[in-house]
Amino acid sequence: MDTSFGCEPLTQLSSFVGRTEELVELAQLLPKVRLLTLTGPAGVGKTRLALEFASQQSRSRRYDVVVVRLSPLGESDAIRRQVLSALDEATGEAEAAGRDQLLVLDDCEHVLEACGSLLTTLLPQRPGLRVLATSRESLRLPGESVFSVAGLPVPDPDTENVLAACHRSEAVTLFIDRARALARDFQLTRTNAPHLSEICTRLDGLPLSIEMAARLIRVFPPAEVRGRLDDQLALLRNGWRLADARHQSLHASLKWGYDLLTPMEQGVLRRLSVLPGGFGPDAAATIAADDPDVAAAMPEILISLEAKSLIEPVGTGSPARFRILESMRRFGHEQLLAAHEDTGAYERLVACLTTLCLPLHAESVVSAGTLASWEEERVNLRHAMQRLASGADERQLLLAGALAAVETGEVTVQPRAADLVARALKSTAPTSVYRSVALAAAASLARRDAHGEMAARRADEAVELERGHGRSPLLGRLLLIRGMIRQARDEPKGARTDVSEALDIGVRLHQDWLTALCRGMIAGHQVRGGELGEAEQEIGRALPVLRRAAPRWLHPVLVTAGSLALEKNDLPAAEAYFTETLRTSAFHRDDTVQAIEGTAVVAARAGQFDRGLRLLGAAERMRIGRRGIRQGDRWWRQRVREARDSAYQALPAARATAWLEAGYALSHQQALALALGDDVSGPKASQPVHPLSRREQDVAALIVEGLTNRQIAARMHVSVRTVETHIRHIRTTLGLRSRAHVAAWSAQQRLEPPAAPPPADSVVLPAVPLRQRVQEPRRAGTPARFPGRGAAHDVRSAASG
């Protein structure tokens, strides 16, 4: 039966979106337990999930369902009377039908003691009774099973196809469903997909917040909703008119949970709001160090906050790390400001991060473990920098340097570190103790972004400033950085002078990592100068140290070792060094690209011209398509050019161009696989038969565009029944359950929708085949032209710089 007692009917007026897996898990779990508690943060949808599950159980006639809402109740006696009255009223019908009862107790968090006392008595007395409770924390009763409810899945932030990720996301699906209730023509498109993805992600996939944000679509476009989320507590105040007061706004919902905390827990939550990037127990204790009692009790407080769904564990590593959901963090920050505790909390945050970043100022080469800790604190570093930006605090120079160290070698370049470094240099005194650290960071970022003049100028400033301070370990690193910059600018004499001085510092101070890196760079100069025996000795001294103690810095020396093997025409050794570079995570992206080019040169010299050209095409795409990857010095460009020319001389021009284009089309992972010996199909490989017909592909692509069946029929000049038949066949062929799954699959496949029919009076010119545009008759060795990049592109020029 679809009835309940003491609550609204089980049948809800709004649609239920997602949670399929949760419903299945609950159905499997309930027969095994007597008390099942759904826990989760404010607005996560515990009540909605419980009612949907209870409704399923009622419709299947497994249980007679009784629902009691506890939010209006506060007295133990009132709760007991309400529950017993509802159960007794339904008991007769349940016994007559031979069914057990399922009691849903909604909103238990404010009456945990009363619920515990009642259920401890009630469950033993009624063997046919099972209880499904919702609460922000567990009841902590014997026999209780806790089911944690998380936010709806949000789109993967690292995916290249945002539209496909949005189609797969239950959070985005809920947003669209609620938005269409107010704006019937609202659709998910390629244009608004990035905005919807960020909206749902920043709202942590919480249904209550997403529903409120979706209702704004009638007034604001998605881009503007996204832009206003910095003030989401003020923005999201449009709950259902007749909902409980705590569901009328996001702020009210969060305040309900905050008011249930002890004063000590409230104080910790306020202070932790200055840590948007997460925190460990030690950092939490440091931020709360103004209260010794709180700092001593921090482990117990964190356990309690996690149990109350206010913080959540991040990852499974050691030591433990936690995060606050963004909405609760913003609420906590609001309370921090109201309590006038922000100045002290932020000072402790900056002091904590400064201590963490001191190795950047004191050591010649920062360890991989320290870099990993900076990566973990990246968001907190940025947040602290924003706090310091309005003043002249010199510590922002050190924090900016740490951010730059993390971001220098990333595949996806974040320009914000360069901006933060520039702002710190501008706002602090020229005599600041950490200035040379920030100047070195600015030089490295400029080198990454191929701003050679700026990189050289900043490196000169850093070296001269540090010479005056006499801090030798840092000076050694600065000289090494300037040597790299000079090498990239084809200034070999100056580069070798800097690296030799850095090597002297490393040897004098017994800095093994600095010494090994300098030996590796000197070996590179020796290879380019034909001093192959001396280079082999230096590499032999550098590689064991770096392999043992500093693998993060191993890659440039491996590339040099591979280059030396090429000069000796030892192709197996050269390929072994280059592939070793690719099998481990390179810190600088240049090393990855140069290693791929190295394997291409090996392949060309071995007569494997098709493989060599594909690798060259892949490397060229990386250099062109990713900001900050340089072209390499003149000596290296010459080796790459010779490999390409030898392939063009050995193959017909059309075939060579086809292989080069095939490499250019490879993804990063495919290029790595090819370089490591896993073949990737080339231009002549037969393509697998598509599971869908051409017409079915068109239908699937139009579903992605958000068209209805009638609109698809009009676009394709077929009947609606034909479209329905195609959709049924698509779902059967691909094993997909719904239209949304078809859209997600189609977006992932990047199917292109058929063009809209031209007006009757328009003239359609015949299209020139792509191959005809790309591959015009020409002599071997002339420039190849790639599609989709404007004017003709000279591959020889791009590959050689």
Side-chain angles (χ1 to χ4, degrees):
M1 63 180 180
D2 191 11
T3 60
S4 61
F5 298 85
C7 182
E8 70 266 19
L10 293 177
T11 299
Q12 301 294 295
L13 298 179
S14 60
S15 58
F16 184 79
V17 176
R19 303 289 195 197
T20 303
E21 293 183 5
E22 288 92 332
L23 291 170
V24 171
E25 290 183 46
L26 290 173
Q28 294 173 344
L29 188 57
L30 184 63
K32 304 174 184 177
V33 298
R34 298 286 308 282
L35 172 59
L36 177 58
T37 305
L38 307 186
T39 63
V44 79
K46 301 181 292 294
T47 297
R48 191 70 171 88
L49 176 60
L51 293 179
E52 182 68 21
F53 176 68
S55 179
Q56 287 186 358
Q57 299 303 307
S58 177
R59 290 195 301 270
S60 67
R61 299 190 176 277
R62 293 188 183 93
Y63 301 94
D64 272 14
V65 176
V66 176
V67 180
V68 178
R69 296 184 62 190
L70 300 180
S71 56
L73 306 176
E75 298 294 332
S76 297
D77 290 341
I79 292 172
R80 178 179 294 274
R81 286 195 302 271
Q82 183 81 5
V83 171
L84 292 178
S85 174
L87 285 174
D88 291 341
E89 188 173 346
T91 297
E93 186 174 344
E95 291 178 348
R99 291 192 294 265
D100 289 344
Q101 287 182 303
L102 174 61
L103 170 64
V104 178
L105 290 180
D106 188 33
D107 296 328
C108 299
E109 57 266 10
H110 66 299
V111 286
L112 293 174
E113 293 295 332
C115 288
S117 176
L118 173 63
L119 294 179
T120 301
T121 304
L122 197 60
L123 286 171
Q125 292 177 349
R126 303 191 180 214
L129 174 66
R130 298 182 189 277
V131 177
L132 177 65
T134 71
S135 175
R136 297 189 188 183
E137 63 177 304
S138 67
L139 304 181
R140 289 193 294 172
L141 296 178
E144 178 187 23
S145 183
V146 178
F147 187 93
S148 179
V149 182
L152 294 172
V154 300
D156 181 357
D158 298 324
T159 184
E160 294 182 1
N161 193 334
V162 179
L163 181 61
C166 284
H167 276 294
R168 292 191 297 269
S169 167
E170 291 181 355
V172 175
T173 301
L174 176 64
F175 186 101
I176 295 170
D177 181 86
R178 299 305 190 250
R180 283 178 177 166
L182 297 175
R184 298 302 302 170
D185 58 345
F186 182 78
Q187 302 288 348
L188 173 63
T189 66
R190 297 182 191 278
T191 302
N192 65 28
H195 303 305
L196 300 187
S197 174
E198 182 165 343
I199 289 169
C200 293
T201 299
R202 291 181 62 181
L203 296 178
D204 295 306
L206 296 179
L208 177 65
S209 302
I210 291 172
E211 289 187 344
M212 292 182 185
R215 291 182 204 127
L216 300 172
I217 289 298
R218 189 168 182 175
V219 179
F220 302 118
E224 191 165 349
V225 174
R226 171 184 178 178
R228 291 173 177 266
L229 283 182
D230 286 339
D231 194 14
Q232 58 182 254
L233 296 182
L235 181 68
L236 304 179
R237 293 181 176 271
N238 53 347
W240 298 116
R241 187 183 304 277
L242 299 181
D244 291 342
R246 63 192 177 94
H247 287 152
Q248 288 286 344
S249 70
L250 177 60
H251 188 279
S253 180
L254 297 171
K255 188 175 185 303
W256 165 273
Y258 180 80
D259 289 343
L260 295 175
L261 301 178
T262 67
M264 186 176 289
E265 291 170 342
Q266 290 178 345
V268 170
L269 196 65
R270 290 195 301 269
R271 290 161 176 78
L272 294 181
S273 69
V274 303
L275 294 164
F279 52 89
D282 291 342
T286 299
I287 300 303
D290 59 323
D291 187 336
D293 293 335
V294 169
M298 186 56 67
E300 292 78 10
I301 294 174
L302 293 179
I303 291 172
S304 177
L305 291 177
E306 192 279 331
K308 295 175 180 178
S309 305
L310 295 171
I311 65 175
E312 62 181 16
V314 179
T316 57
S318 180
R321 192 168 178 86
F322 305 89
R323 68 180 285 262
I324 313 177
L325 292 180
E326 181 62 13
S327 55
M328 177 52 78
R329 190 191 72 80
R330 290 184 179 276
F331 179 86
H333 197 266
E334 177 186 277
Q335 303 304 309
L336 183 79
L337 295 175
H340 305 291
E341 298 170 339
D342 53 310
T343 300
Y346 274 106
E347 173 55 35
R348 291 188 292 275
L349 170 64
V350 172
C352 178
L353 293 176
T354 299
T355 301
L356 183 67
C357 297
L358 279 176
L360 190 62
H361 184 251
E363 299 177 6
S364 59
V365 179
V366 179
S367 70
T370 299
L371 280 168
S373 68
W374 296 347
E375 165 65 29
E376 197 169 49
E377 299 294 339
R378 179 204 302 238
V379 176
N380 293 330
L381 283 167
R382 282 207 196 96
H383 190 62
M385 285 286 296
Q386 291 170 359
R387 178 76 178 188
L388 297 175
S390 59
D393 192 322
E394 67 178 5
R395 292 175 296 179
Q396 62 185 298
L397 294 165
L398 185 63
L399 303 189
L403 266 179
V406 170
E407 294 187 359
T408 295
E410 290 188 331
V411 173
T412 303
V413 175
Q414 302 285 346
R416 287 171 291 183
D419 295 339
L420 291 172
V421 171
R423 189 169 64 189
L425 287 168
K426 183 177 180 179
S427 62
T428 54
T431 56
S432 296
V433 67
Y434 302 124
R435 188 170 184 82
S436 57
V437 169
L439 287 169
S444 296
L445 292 170
R447 171 177 175 258
R448 177 200 70 179
D449 297 338
H451 300 320
E453 290 292 339
M454 174 65 74
R457 186 165 63 252
R458 290 302 197 186
D460 289 343
E461 290 181 59
V463 169
E464 293 311 310
L465 181 62
E466 204 55 37
R467 284 192 194 281
H469 291 314
R471 291 185 288 262
S472 293
L474 179 56
L475 178 60
R477 184 172 82 245
L478 298 180
L479 287 166
L480 182 62
I481 291 172
R482 190 169 74 172
M484 294 176 179
I485 291 171
R486 287 178 166 177
Q487 180 64 36
R489 288 167 55 81
D490 280 332
E491 299 173 9
K493 184 176 180 180
R496 190 158 184 174
T497 299
D498 280 341
V499 177
S500 296
E501 184 179 354
L503 175 61
D504 291 341
I505 292 173
V507 171
R508 186 176 75 250
L509 299 179
H510 305 288
Q511 300 279 319
D512 292 343
W513 296 355
L514 176 63
T515 300
L517 285 171
C518 291
R519 291 192 188 283
M521 276 203 68
I522 289 173
H525 291 289
Q526 291 168 336
V527 170
R528 286 157 175 76
E531 307 169 58
L532 302 187
E534 293 85 344
E536 190 166 15
Q537 291 180 5
E538 295 290 4
I539 290 172
R541 299 170 73 178
L543 277 181
V545 174
L546 296 175
R547 280 196 172 110
R548 180 179 65 254
R552 189 181 183 104
W553 310 111
L554 178 63
H555 304 87
V557 183
L558 286 173
V559 170
T560 298
S563 302
L564 172 62
L566 280 178
E567 290 302 283
K568 297 171 65 175
N569 207 34
D570 186 349
L571 300 185
E575 182 152 24
Y577 283 123
F578 290 132
T579 54
E580 183 181 352
T581 305
L582 297 173
R583 284 195 175 95
T584 52
S585 176
F587 180 59
H588 290 287
R589 294 160 294 154
D590 292 13
D591 301 329
T592 297
V593 178
Q594 195 166 347
I596 290 176
E597 288 175 335
T599 58
V601 174
V602 169
R605 291 189 184 183
Q608 300 171 1
F609 300 115
D610 57 347
R611 181 168 180 259
L613 285 169
R614 280 184 285 166
L615 288 170
L616 287 177
E620 183 202 355
R621 182 183 184 185
M622 292 180 186
R623 290 197 185 279
I624 294 173
R626 296 186 181 181
R627 175 185 171 203
I629 297 182
R630 299 174 298 282
Q631 298 299 322
D633 61 25
R634 187 178 308 167
W635 182 88
W636 182 251
R637 295 197 301 266
Q638 177 64 27
R639 269 62 185 171
V640 172
R641 181 164 55 245
E642 290 170 355
R644 179 191 177 280
D645 288 347
S646 67
Y648 263 86
Q649 291 169 5
L651 298 175
R655 184 169 179 79
T657 300
W659 285 116
L660 205 60
E661 291 175 7
Y664 191 88
L666 295 178
S667 68
H668 182 77
Q669 292 301 321
Q670 288 173 326
L672 288 179
L674 179 60
L676 292 171
D678 299 329
D679 197 14
V680 181
S681 59
K684 297 300 181 181
S686 60
Q687 298 298 319
V689 177
H690 202 284
L692 304 182
S693 69
R694 179 67 260 176
R695 183 60 64 89
E696 289 166 349
Q697 293 178 50
D698 289 345
V699 170
L702 291 172
I703 289 175
V704 177
E705 299 296 309
L707 273 61
T708 65
N709 288 357
R710 188 172 299 280
Q711 291 169 329
I712 293 173
R715 179 79 165 265
M716 298 180 63
H717 301 289
V718 297
S719 68
V720 174
R721 185 178 295 276
T722 299
V723 172
E724 293 171 349
T725 300
H726 284 317
I727 293 175
R728 281 198 301 272
H729 189 262
I730 291 169
R731 291 173 56 186
T732 302
T733 302
L734 302 178
L736 301 175
R737 292 192 309 237
S738 69
R739 188 186 187 90
H741 289 126
V742 172
W745 178 88
S746 177
Q748 184 68 42
Q749 300 297 313
R750 299 180 186 272
L751 297 181
E752 291 296 329
D761 57 352
S762 65
V763 178
V764 181
L765 299 178
V768 180
L770 175 63
R771 184 59 56 194
Q772 184 176 335
R773 296 200 307 271
V774 174
Q775 197 171 308
E776 299 174 353
R778 53 184 170 80
R779 300 188 309 276
T782 58
R785 301 173 186 271
F786 285 107
R789 291 186 283 151
H793 180 77
D794 189 337
V795 177
R796 175 187 297 178
S797 174
S800 64

